Amino acid sequence: GAVVSQHPSRVICKSGTSVKIECRSLDFQATTMFWYRQFPKQSLMLMATSNEGSKATYEQGVEKDKFLINHASLTLSTLTVTSAHPEDSSFYICSAPRARSYNSPLHFGNGTRLTVT
Amino acid sequence: SQQGEEDPQALSIQEGENATMNCSYKTSINNLQWYRQNSGRGLVHLILIRSNEREKHSGRLRVTLDTSKKSSSLLITASRAADTASYFCATILYSGGGADGLTFGKGTHLIIQP
């Protein structure tokens, strides 16, 4: 069964509104969660690393004020797309390793399809 | 920035045949991982091969790693229709300590025709 739960799976919003995406680790504590973005038939691009109890680390070119990340507990990280625009329409996926180790595979949520009209 | 590049970008084979996908990367790695993604879904981890390993098996999957050529291959034997998906290789750039986000290649879209 799924070990990382992501909600919602789909969301349609109007331009200018904000959308919150939740990512929960179900049977382990995730001190770190990763947020990816994927365009159709493209690879996953790492947006930011969410760390429990501290500020997220954003990849170059990702606007931290637009993509707000909160990792309030060891099992929950949220990504809020603020003042969404049509170009923010994409597939957003969260993931987390079971352990803080290079050799710990990532467990992925099922993704959120965001459409901004 | 992307580290891995899969080849081919698309592959269509008959059910029962073997499918081979290749991945090349650019810098030193700790390990290389392969993931599968069904359309519109998240990724599922398939297999991890460490930098000091040359070959690894898991069920119908066989992964090789050649660090001198900075390349890896994923072989799926006796393919099934359910293997239709996109396959990605992923690496973590060596940065010392802690967990780092994986860098994914562009993926190989595999279609198994019944």
Side-chain angles (χ1 to χ4, degrees), chain A residues 63-68 79-85 87-88:
Chain A
E63 299 177 58
K64 59 181 66 177
D65 293 332
K66 181 166 189 63
F67 298 100
L68 299 179
L79 168 67
T80 301
V81 184
T82 63
S83 187
H85 291 284
E87 57 265 31
D88 298 325

PDB file of all heavy atoms in Angstrom, chain A residues 63-68 79-85 87-88:
ATOM      1  N   GLU A  63      10.806  30.122  -7.278  1.00  0.00           N
ATOM      2  CA  GLU A  63      10.470  31.282  -6.442  1.00  0.00           C
ATOM      3  C   GLU A  63       9.919  30.826  -5.093  1.00  0.00           C
ATOM      4  O   GLU A  63       8.828  30.258  -5.020  1.00  0.00           O
ATOM      5  CB  GLU A  63       9.419  32.127  -7.149  1.00  0.00           C
ATOM      6  CG  GLU A  63       9.852  32.700  -8.486  1.00  0.00           C
ATOM      7  CD  GLU A  63       8.718  33.471  -9.139  1.00  0.00           C
ATOM      8  OE1 GLU A  63       8.217  34.427  -8.527  1.00  0.00           O
ATOM      9  OE2 GLU A  63       8.308  33.089 -10.251  1.00  0.00           O
ATOM     10  N   LYS A  64      10.640  31.104  -4.043  1.00  0.00           N
ATOM     11  CA  LYS A  64      10.218  30.653  -2.721  1.00  0.00           C
ATOM     12  C   LYS A  64       8.964  31.371  -2.240  1.00  0.00           C
ATOM     13  O   LYS A  64       8.202  30.821  -1.440  1.00  0.00           O
ATOM     14  CB  LYS A  64      11.357  30.831  -1.712  1.00  0.00           C
ATOM     15  CG  LYS A  64      11.866  32.241  -1.554  1.00  0.00           C
ATOM     16  CD  LYS A  64      13.014  32.297  -0.542  1.00  0.00           C
ATOM     17  CE  LYS A  64      14.225  31.561  -1.061  1.00  0.00           C
ATOM     18  NZ  LYS A  64      15.384  31.641  -0.148  1.00  0.00           N
ATOM     19  N   ASP A  65       8.731  32.578  -2.707  1.00  0.00           N
ATOM     20  CA  ASP A  65       7.533  33.301  -2.297  1.00  0.00           C
ATOM     21  C   ASP A  65       6.302  32.821  -3.048  1.00  0.00           C
ATOM     22  O   ASP A  65       5.173  33.081  -2.628  1.00  0.00           O
ATOM     23  CB  ASP A  65       7.711  34.805  -2.528  1.00  0.00           C
ATOM     24  CG  ASP A  65       8.773  35.389  -1.613  1.00  0.00           C
ATOM     25  OD1 ASP A  65       8.961  34.834  -0.513  1.00  0.00           O
ATOM     26  OD2 ASP A  65       9.418  36.368  -2.009  1.00  0.00           O
ATOM     27  N   LYS A  66       6.520  32.159  -4.145  1.00  0.00           N
ATOM     28  CA  LYS A  66       5.396  31.653  -4.919  1.00  0.00           C
ATOM     29  C   LYS A  66       5.041  30.224  -4.504  1.00  0.00           C
ATOM     30  O   LYS A  66       3.887  29.862  -4.459  1.00  0.00           O
ATOM     31  CB  LYS A  66       5.734  31.667  -6.403  1.00  0.00           C
ATOM     32  CG  LYS A  66       4.586  31.176  -7.275  1.00  0.00           C
ATOM     33  CD  LYS A  66       4.810  31.522  -8.710  1.00  0.00           C
ATOM     34  CE  LYS A  66       3.554  31.206  -9.497  1.00  0.00           C
ATOM     35  NZ  LYS A  66       2.410  32.007  -9.079  1.00  0.00           N
ATOM     36  N   PHE A  67       6.039  29.464  -4.222  1.00  0.00           N
ATOM     37  CA  PHE A  67       5.838  28.071  -3.830  1.00  0.00           C
ATOM     38  C   PHE A  67       6.231  27.947  -2.355  1.00  0.00           C
ATOM     39  O   PHE A  67       7.379  27.673  -2.017  1.00  0.00           O
ATOM     40  CB  PHE A  67       6.682  27.141  -4.703  1.00  0.00           C
ATOM     41  CG  PHE A  67       6.315  27.198  -6.162  1.00  0.00           C
ATOM     42  CD1 PHE A  67       7.072  27.945  -7.062  1.00  0.00           C
ATOM     43  CD2 PHE A  67       5.204  26.519  -6.640  1.00  0.00           C
ATOM     44  CE1 PHE A  67       6.733  28.004  -8.401  1.00  0.00           C
ATOM     45  CE2 PHE A  67       4.851  26.574  -7.981  1.00  0.00           C
ATOM     46  CZ  PHE A  67       5.620  27.316  -8.865  1.00  0.00           C
ATOM     47  N   LEU A  68       5.233  28.131  -1.508  1.00  0.00           N
ATOM     48  CA  LEU A  68       5.478  28.121  -0.068  1.00  0.00           C
ATOM     49  C   LEU A  68       5.450  26.686   0.448  1.00  0.00           C
ATOM     50  O   LEU A  68       4.495  25.947   0.210  1.00  0.00           O
ATOM     51  CB  LEU A  68       4.414  28.952   0.656  1.00  0.00           C
ATOM     52  CG  LEU A  68       4.353  30.440   0.288  1.00  0.00           C
ATOM     53  CD1 LEU A  68       3.242  31.119   1.072  1.00  0.00           C
ATOM     54  CD2 LEU A  68       5.680  31.116   0.530  1.00  0.00           C
ATOM     55  N   LEU A  79       2.733  22.123   0.177  1.00  0.00           N
ATOM     56  CA  LEU A  79       3.209  23.044  -0.854  1.00  0.00           C
ATOM     57  C   LEU A  79       2.029  23.925  -1.237  1.00  0.00           C
ATOM     58  O   LEU A  79       0.986  23.408  -1.635  1.00  0.00           O
ATOM     59  CB  LEU A  79       3.707  22.276  -2.079  1.00  0.00           C
ATOM     60  CG  LEU A  79       3.971  23.100  -3.348  1.00  0.00           C
ATOM     61  CD1 LEU A  79       5.152  24.039  -3.145  1.00  0.00           C
ATOM     62  CD2 LEU A  79       4.227  22.182  -4.543  1.00  0.00           C
ATOM     63  N   THR A  80       2.186  25.219  -1.079  1.00  0.00           N
ATOM     64  CA  THR A  80       1.131  26.153  -1.466  1.00  0.00           C
ATOM     65  C   THR A  80       1.605  26.957  -2.663  1.00  0.00           C
ATOM     66  O   THR A  80       2.637  27.636  -2.592  1.00  0.00           O
ATOM     67  CB  THR A  80       0.773  27.107  -0.312  1.00  0.00           C
ATOM     68  OG1 THR A  80       0.335  26.344   0.823  1.00  0.00           O
ATOM     69  CG2 THR A  80      -0.350  28.053  -0.727  1.00  0.00           C
ATOM     70  N   VAL A  81       0.849  26.842  -3.735  1.00  0.00           N
ATOM     71  CA  VAL A  81       1.119  27.643  -4.923  1.00  0.00           C
ATOM     72  C   VAL A  81       0.314  28.927  -4.775  1.00  0.00           C
ATOM     73  O   VAL A  81      -0.918  28.902  -4.806  1.00  0.00           O
ATOM     74  CB  VAL A  81       0.712  26.894  -6.205  1.00  0.00           C
ATOM     75  CG1 VAL A  81       1.090  27.715  -7.439  1.00  0.00           C
ATOM     76  CG2 VAL A  81       1.369  25.520  -6.255  1.00  0.00           C
ATOM     77  N   THR A  82       0.996  30.008  -4.552  1.00  0.00           N
ATOM     78  CA  THR A  82       0.307  31.271  -4.292  1.00  0.00           C
ATOM     79  C   THR A  82       0.091  32.040  -5.587  1.00  0.00           C
ATOM     80  O   THR A  82       0.914  31.971  -6.510  1.00  0.00           O
ATOM     81  CB  THR A  82       1.109  32.141  -3.324  1.00  0.00           C
ATOM     82  OG1 THR A  82       2.367  32.468  -3.931  1.00  0.00           O
ATOM     83  CG2 THR A  82       1.367  31.411  -2.013  1.00  0.00           C
ATOM     84  N   SER A  83      -1.034  32.736  -5.643  1.00  0.00           N
ATOM     85  CA  SER A  83      -1.374  33.552  -6.813  1.00  0.00           C
ATOM     86  C   SER A  83      -1.063  32.783  -8.098  1.00  0.00           C
ATOM     87  O   SER A  83      -0.247  33.218  -8.926  1.00  0.00           O
ATOM     88  CB  SER A  83      -0.601  34.873  -6.780  1.00  0.00           C
ATOM     89  OG  SER A  83      -1.035  35.722  -7.819  1.00  0.00           O
ATOM     90  N   ALA A  84      -1.712  31.652  -8.217  1.00  0.00           N
ATOM     91  CA  ALA A  84      -1.419  30.751  -9.337  1.00  0.00           C
ATOM     92  C   ALA A  84      -1.761  31.384 -10.686  1.00  0.00           C
ATOM     93  O   ALA A  84      -2.739  32.131 -10.812  1.00  0.00           O
ATOM     94  CB  ALA A  84      -2.189  29.450  -9.159  1.00  0.00           C
ATOM     95  N   HIS A  85      -0.953  31.059 -11.669  1.00  0.00           N
ATOM     96  CA  HIS A  85      -1.173  31.509 -13.040  1.00  0.00           C
ATOM     97  C   HIS A  85      -1.174  30.299 -13.951  1.00  0.00           C
ATOM     98  O   HIS A  85      -0.660  29.231 -13.576  1.00  0.00           O
ATOM     99  CB  HIS A  85      -0.094  32.511 -13.437  1.00  0.00           C
ATOM    100  CG  HIS A  85      -0.199  33.813 -12.716  1.00  0.00           C
ATOM    101  ND1 HIS A  85      -1.147  34.766 -13.029  1.00  0.00           N
ATOM    102  CD2 HIS A  85       0.509  34.323 -11.668  1.00  0.00           C
ATOM    103  CE1 HIS A  85      -1.013  35.808 -12.219  1.00  0.00           C
ATOM    104  NE2 HIS A  85      -0.017  35.558 -11.383  1.00  0.00           N
ATOM    105  N   GLU A  87       0.670  29.325 -16.221  1.00  0.00           N
ATOM    106  CA  GLU A  87       1.982  28.688 -16.414  1.00  0.00           C
ATOM    107  C   GLU A  87       2.392  27.813 -15.235  1.00  0.00           C
ATOM    108  O   GLU A  87       3.370  27.059 -15.332  1.00  0.00           O
ATOM    109  CB  GLU A  87       3.070  29.745 -16.667  1.00  0.00           C
ATOM    110  CG  GLU A  87       3.201  30.794 -15.587  1.00  0.00           C
ATOM    111  CD  GLU A  87       2.409  32.052 -15.898  1.00  0.00           C
ATOM    112  OE1 GLU A  87       1.343  31.954 -16.567  1.00  0.00           O
ATOM    113  OE2 GLU A  87       2.847  33.130 -15.464  1.00  0.00           O
ATOM    114  N   ASP A  88       1.662  27.917 -14.135  1.00  0.00           N
ATOM    115  CA  ASP A  88       1.917  27.042 -12.983  1.00  0.00           C
ATOM    116  C   ASP A  88       1.221  25.699 -13.137  1.00  0.00           C
ATOM    117  O   ASP A  88       1.440  24.785 -12.315  1.00  0.00           O
ATOM    118  CB  ASP A  88       1.444  27.706 -11.685  1.00  0.00           C
ATOM    119  CG  ASP A  88       2.185  28.999 -11.392  1.00  0.00           C
ATOM    120  OD1 ASP A  88       3.387  29.074 -11.709  1.00  0.00           O
ATOM    121  OD2 ASP A  88       1.547  29.944 -10.887  1.00  0.00           O
TER     122      ASP A  88
END
